[in-house]
Amino acid sequence: MATTIYGSDFWSPIRISLQVALLSSIIVIILGTLTAWGMSRRRFVGKTVIETVLMLPLVLPPTVVGFLLLMLLGRKSRLGQFIEWLFSAPIVFTWWAAVIASIVVAFPLVYQTMKVGFSSVDRELEDAGRSIGANEWQVFRYITFPLIYRSFMTAYILGFARALGEFGATLMLAGNIPGKTQTLPTAIYVAVDAGNMTMAWAWTGMMILISFLMLLLIGRKQGEEVTYK
């Protein structure tokens, strides 16, 4: 049966894309923030090598990232077999595989943005907080985080947008199963390949609308913050 606009087949990729982007962006902003905070506060041998590895998904083609993830998490790998034993099901070609692929490709953008944010914080302000008895969590909560708030929001937007638009790695690891792992980018690709330009335009419009609304919301929040200050 052909996909129709506003039918269940139309909304399914949208729902899956939003779910994947929302969960993966939350996970990646936490991982990226913690990693950037730790890396910006410490110097050790091999730091440059580790940072290079962390940034690799940014420059590698998404299909290469997807292939590496498939080899790492596939049913023939030790890790993939352990996951299958643990959950009684393989992780490849599942919704969670799409989340993992989105996390990996979005991480470098989030990490780099947060690293720049942490580097801009005046260390003397943090030291002043410690000098009056604040612990590390209190220093982060009341001094560091307010100063990196804009970087945090920018990093989250980049992570969400990268996850929403992810195609190559998701296709390799999660496949393109309608109603299960088919996201908006893969749905658009299939629609164009099948010559269904009406659906391709409809899904493209939805992606543009979602991205526009998110940027508008964040812009208003930052504008309100500047006004209150």
Side-chain angles (χ1 to χ4, degrees):
M1 182 174 64
T3 302
T4 57
I5 297 180
Y6 307 129
S8 60
D9 292 339
F10 171 75
W11 292 106
S12 177
I14 299 172
R15 173 182 55 80
I16 293 173
S17 288
L18 288 176
Q19 290 175 341
V20 169
L22 181 61
L23 181 57
S24 60
S25 61
I26 291 174
I27 295 174
V28 79
I29 192 64
I30 294 173
L31 293 177
T33 299
L34 292 176
T35 305
W37 181 80
M39 296 292 283
S40 65
R41 294 298 187 270
R42 293 175 177 82
R43 293 183 180 179
F44 53 88
V45 177
K47 179 179 178 180
T48 302
V49 175
I50 293 176
E51 287 194 317
T52 301
V53 172
L54 293 176
M55 295 299 294
L56 268 179
L58 184 64
V59 296
L60 287 176
T63 50
V64 173
V65 175
F67 174 75
L68 293 174
L69 288 174
L70 187 61
M71 293 299 98
L72 179 65
L73 301 174
R75 304 186 73 172
K76 294 183 179 180
S77 69
R78 294 288 181 86
L79 181 57
Q81 291 172 357
F82 173 74
I83 293 174
E84 186 172 354
W85 170 81
L86 186 64
F87 297 102
S88 300
I91 195 169
V92 294
F93 302 118
T94 66
W95 184 83
W96 282 103
V99 173
I100 292 172
S102 297
I103 291 172
V104 172
V105 298
F107 180 85
L109 291 173
V110 174
Y111 169 76
Q112 186 63 28
T113 304
M114 293 307 300
K115 180 185 173 184
V116 172
F118 282 118
S119 300
S120 66
V121 175
D122 189 346
R123 298 291 184 86
E124 292 184 359
L125 294 175
E126 296 177 324
D127 292 337
R130 296 185 184 98
S131 68
I132 60 176
N135 56 38
E136 290 302 316
W137 165 247
Q138 290 172 325
V139 169
F140 180 83
R141 170 67 179 83
Y142 296 107
I143 299 176
T144 308
F145 186 75
L147 293 174
I148 64 166
Y149 176 75
R150 290 190 178 183
S151 294
F152 181 85
M153 296 307 300
T154 300
Y156 181 79
I157 294 172
L158 290 173
F160 185 92
R162 187 66 183 86
L164 186 66
E166 168 50 33
F167 174 76
T170 300
L171 189 61
M172 290 287 291
L173 190 64
N176 180 40
I177 307 173
K180 187 176 180 181
T181 65
Q182 187 181 62
T183 58
L184 276 171
T186 56
I188 293 170
Y189 174 81
V190 171
V192 172
D193 188 58
N196 192 347
M197 301 307 295
T198 301
M199 291 304 303
W201 273 112
W203 278 322
T204 298
M206 287 300 299
M207 284 200 69
I208 294 173
L209 178 62
I210 293 169
S211 301
F212 175 81
L213 290 176
M214 188 166 186
L215 288 173
L216 183 64
L217 177 62
I218 298 303
R220 289 187 61 182
K221 290 290 185 182
Q222 292 183 348
E224 291 173 1
E225 181 187 3
V226 171
T227 301
Y228 292 147
K229 288 181 178 180

